[in-house]
Amino acid sequence: MKRLIFTTIICLAATVVFAQTDSVKTTTTTDSTKTRHTRIRLGFGDDVSQVRINDTTDYPATKAPGFSFGITLTRFDIGLTTLNDNGSFNLSPANQFLSYRSWRSSNIGFDVIQLGYRFNSSFRIYTSGGFDWTNLRLRQSITILRDQTPLSYRQDDIKYDKNRLSATYVRVPVAFDFRTRDDEDGRRFHFVAAAEMGVLISSSIKQESKENGDFKLGGNYNFAKFRYGASLRVGYGAIGVFGKYYFNNMFENSPAQDGLRNFSFGMSVGW
């Protein structure tokens, strides 16, 4: 998976034809020599990511209306995954085999590309593409069976130090971002509401035990191939919190898990 992510980022960097370099000339007060400062813009528009090389110029916070498109490494999410079973955070008897360790079941994600339109300095709409991982740390000594419909498991006689069920999605949010004016410290509040979609690209189990050592097996574990939901982000400066809830079932073609859905929340860095 790390190789897939690295390859994707490299391909995006190679195919974005809008990359451009802006040069700013400044004159020193001591010897009147001119120094060139460089900004590498990874796309076009005021909202794209920039790499600054010896560039200390302060740029205004106000941004003109217009489109932007480019590579972005932002919205790093680190949070917890929680299962909602038909409106309850307690699992029904049919789903007890999926009981999990709440503080070790995680949601991690980030975005790598973005297309947006800014209406004014305070409001913009954007869509982006990135990756999202859901990791459930199971409590029971079971093995979720691969390529079984409906979702099935085997009871084991082994005590697992780690028993993790994971899914990786490509995530595509469509977001509305409102930000306040800068305060005296140059920071602002952000309020972001989004419709979020995801496409499954892989799933796996990983187990660790004294008897079998480390074991990982990828395959089909009945995760929904397409998921849709809503997310909310609120923050100040570069730091915020997020919450995401998916409206469709976490597992498909598995009637006993009907109504079992994914809710995630945690910390986020970047907008």
Side-chain angles (χ1 to χ4, degrees):
M1 180 49 58
K2 291 181 179 178
R3 181 179 298 176
L4 172 63
I5 296 171
F6 180 78
T7 303
T8 301
I9 294 173
I10 293 299
C11 290
L12 289 172
T15 56
V16 173
V17 298
F18 302 106
Q20 62 187 38
T21 301
D22 292 345
S23 296
V24 179
K25 293 183 179 180
T26 60
T27 303
T28 62
T29 58
T30 56
D31 55 6
S32 297
T33 58
K34 294 182 178 180
T35 304
R36 297 184 65 85
H37 298 305
T38 302
R39 288 182 299 155
I40 299 175
R41 300 169 61 86
L42 303 178
F44 72 85
D46 287 340
D47 287 327
V48 299
S49 299
Q50 301 179 23
V51 178
R52 299 187 179 186
I53 303 174
N54 296 325
D55 185 2
T56 59
T57 307
D58 290 330
Y59 298 97
T62 301
K63 295 184 178 181
F67 285 97
S68 63
F69 172 77
I71 296 172
T72 180
L73 292 175
T74 191
R75 287 179 288 277
F76 286 88
D77 297 337
I78 302 176
L80 300 176
T81 289
T82 302
L83 300 185
N84 184 282
D85 194 341
N86 290 282
S88 173
F89 290 108
N90 296 317
L91 294 178
S92 63
N95 291 321
Q96 280 300 313
F97 72 97
L98 289 171
S99 61
Y100 57 97
R101 302 182 185 278
S102 300
W103 292 100
R104 295 187 179 182
S105 295
S106 61
N107 175 249
I108 300 171
F110 59 88
D111 289 340
V112 297
I113 194 168
Q114 179 175 292
L115 169 67
Y117 180 81
R118 178 168 294 284
F119 294 90
N120 52 50
S121 183
S122 298
F123 179 69
R124 66 170 175 161
I125 182 173
Y126 67 84
T127 183
S128 59
F131 299 95
D132 193 276
W133 289 266
T134 296
N135 303 299
L136 286 176
R137 289 288 295 269
L138 303 178
R139 290 181 175 273
Q140 299 191 28
S141 295
I142 63 170
T143 296
I144 304 296
L145 300 179
R146 182 176 65 171
D147 301 328
Q148 296 294 312
T149 302
L151 186 67
S152 304
Y153 68 97
R154 179 187 70 230
Q155 189 70 47
D156 298 329
D157 295 329
I158 297 173
K159 178 177 173 57
Y160 292 109
D161 298 319
K162 177 187 291 186
N163 191 4
R164 187 182 70 195
L165 177 64
S166 302
T168 304
Y169 283 83
V170 171
R171 70 181 192 186
V172 182
V174 178
F176 302 86
D177 181 5
F178 173 80
R179 65 181 189 179
T180 62
R181 294 181 180 274
D182 288 354
D183 60 17
E184 294 179 353
D185 296 324
R187 299 185 180 92
R188 65 187 72 197
F189 285 95
H190 279 264
F191 304 89
V192 183
E196 187 153 333
M197 296 160 283
V199 178
L200 181 70
I201 56 176
S202 69
S203 57
S204 65
I205 61 169
K206 183 176 182 180
Q207 298 172 328
E208 294 180 7
S209 64
K210 294 180 180 179
E211 293 84 352
N212 296 335
D214 294 353
F215 174 78
K216 184 175 181 178
L217 183 64
N220 177 17
Y221 292 95
N222 291 82
F223 283 99
K225 293 181 176 59
F226 176 79
R227 66 184 185 182
Y228 56 91
S231 65
L232 181 67
R233 299 174 184 272
V234 179
Y236 174 70
I239 308 298
V241 295
F242 76 90
K244 294 184 286 188
Y245 180 76
Y246 296 98
F247 300 138
N248 59 324
N249 292 333
M250 188 173 184
F251 299 98
E252 61 185 13
N253 301 321
S254 192
Q257 281 68 55
D258 186 32
L260 187 65
R261 295 170 182 174
N262 184 351
F263 171 67
S264 302
F265 63 95
M267 299 291 296
S268 183
V269 179
W271 302 101

